[in-house]
Amino acid sequence: DAGVIQSPRHEVTEMGQEVTLRCKPISGHDYLFWYRQTMMRGLELLIYFNNNVPIDDSGMPEDRFSAKMPNASFSTLKIQPSEPRDSAVYFCASSPGKGVDQPQHFGDGTRLSIL
Amino acid sequence: SQQGEEDPQALSIQEGENATMNCSYKTSINNLQWYRQNSGRGLVHLILIRSNEREKHSGRLRVTLDTSKKSSSLLITASRAADTASYFCATPLGFGNEKLTFGTGTRLTIIP
């Protein structure tokens, strides 16, 4: 079975550029989560969706960050404009039910470096 | 905000020995999960234990939960080199909350 697929795996770009991260969740999973992982702050939840609807975006650090889920098989996380402090590994995860009651399935992440 | 905190932060043991990691959390929960993360990869779910369970086994893994002490432990028996990874506990932000928070992790190194 295909797991959660994220692209790209690595992204290096210059400050000020727009960055778009992509995620394909596991088919049939109705919850989708975006996380950010850094050495300093650990794993942080940015936003999550239920049935394609954003439920809680309180973890999104600034208005420069936005996320969409136009259909059940695709989500994007966009940063515009990007800044060096956005450098981190960004993970997408999906679960078949509430993420607190069900295992979350993670992609292998996008390692983002903003120069 | 982080709810869980693992102890120790790092652990190195010889292959074949048992490894024990602990997790403490702050608020009442209805379940707790453990995840593993290999270097450069995403997190992999290991086990979920509910608040009415005291102990749960999965292969070489044994998880305990003590809700009175707000703590959990993960025991890996007969460790292998492939167990080298970071291990995280994850709990709901609060009872009934839909958001999962992850601890700071224990970095486990198995020495062949």
Side-chain angles (χ1 to χ4, degrees):
Chain A
D1 288 342
V4 174
I5 300 172
Q6 291 187 247
S7 64
R9 287 296 315 277
H10 303 273
E11 175 90 12
V12 180
T13 191
E14 292 192 346
M15 183 175 69
Q17 297 297 306
E18 177 179 293
V19 173
T20 300
L21 311 181
R22 297 173 175 79
C23 174
K24 178 179 169 57
I26 293 173
S27 177
H29 284 192
D30 51 7
Y31 278 81
L32 183 138
F33 308 85
W34 282 100
Y35 291 90
R36 177 171 71 175
Q37 187 176 40
T38 61
M39 290 293 292
M40 291 295 295
R41 301 175 66 89
L43 196 65
E44 304 173 278
L45 176 65
L46 301 177
I47 184 171
Y48 75 96
F49 296 81
N50 178 24
N51 291 321
N52 313 337
V53 176
I55 301 301
D56 189 323
D57 66 354
S58 60
M60 298 283 261
E62 298 173 35
D63 290 345
R64 298 183 296 105
F65 286 69
S66 62
K68 293 182 180 179
M69 191 164 186
N71 57 62
S73 59
F74 185 66
S75 177
T76 59
L77 178 68
K78 189 172 292 189
I79 308 173
Q80 165 65 15
S82 58
E83 296 183 3
R85 60 194 166 125
D86 302 331
S87 298
V89 182
Y90 290 80
F91 289 103
C92 175
S94 68
S95 67
K98 286 184 181 180
V100 294
D101 294 333
Q102 298 286 337
Q104 292 189 16
H105 299 256
F106 283 73
D108 278 336
T110 295
R111 183 172 294 275
L112 177 64
S113 297
I114 309 297
L115 306 177
Chain B
S1 60
Q2 283 175 329
Q3 153 99 290
E5 189 170 315
E6 287 88 346
D7 170 59
Q9 289 189 339
L11 178 64
S12 292
I13 60 173
Q14 294 290 133
E15 191 168 20
E17 294 181 339
N18 295 342
T20 299
M21 288 156 271
N22 303 295
C23 168
S24 58
Y25 56 91
K26 298 171 185 169
T27 64
S28 295
I29 57 173
N30 52 0
N31 65 61
L32 181 144
Q33 303 184 40
W34 283 92
Y35 288 79
R36 182 189 75 231
Q37 184 179 29
N38 291 92
S39 180
R41 304 296 299 274
L43 279 73
V44 174
H45 180 263
L46 295 176
I47 201 163
L48 182 152
I49 185 166
R50 302 195 185 278
S51 59
N52 60 353
E53 298 174 306
R54 288 293 174 262
E55 190 171 305
K56 199 163 183 179
H57 296 254
S58 177
R60 294 182 297 111
L61 306 181
R62 181 188 136 206
V63 167
T64 63
L65 180 64
D66 186 335
T67 53
S68 66
K69 295 181 179 178
K70 292 186 171 61
S71 68
S72 174
S73 68
L74 170 67
L75 168 68
I76 304 174
T77 61
S79 64
R80 304 169 181 169
D83 295 327
T84 293
S86 291
Y87 292 82
F88 297 87
C89 66
T91 57
L93 196 57
F95 199 85
N97 195 295
E98 283 196 334
K99 296 192 285 189
L100 205 60
T101 64
F102 290 79
T104 49
T106 292
R107 185 166 186 81
L108 175 65
T109 302
I110 307 300
I111 303 166

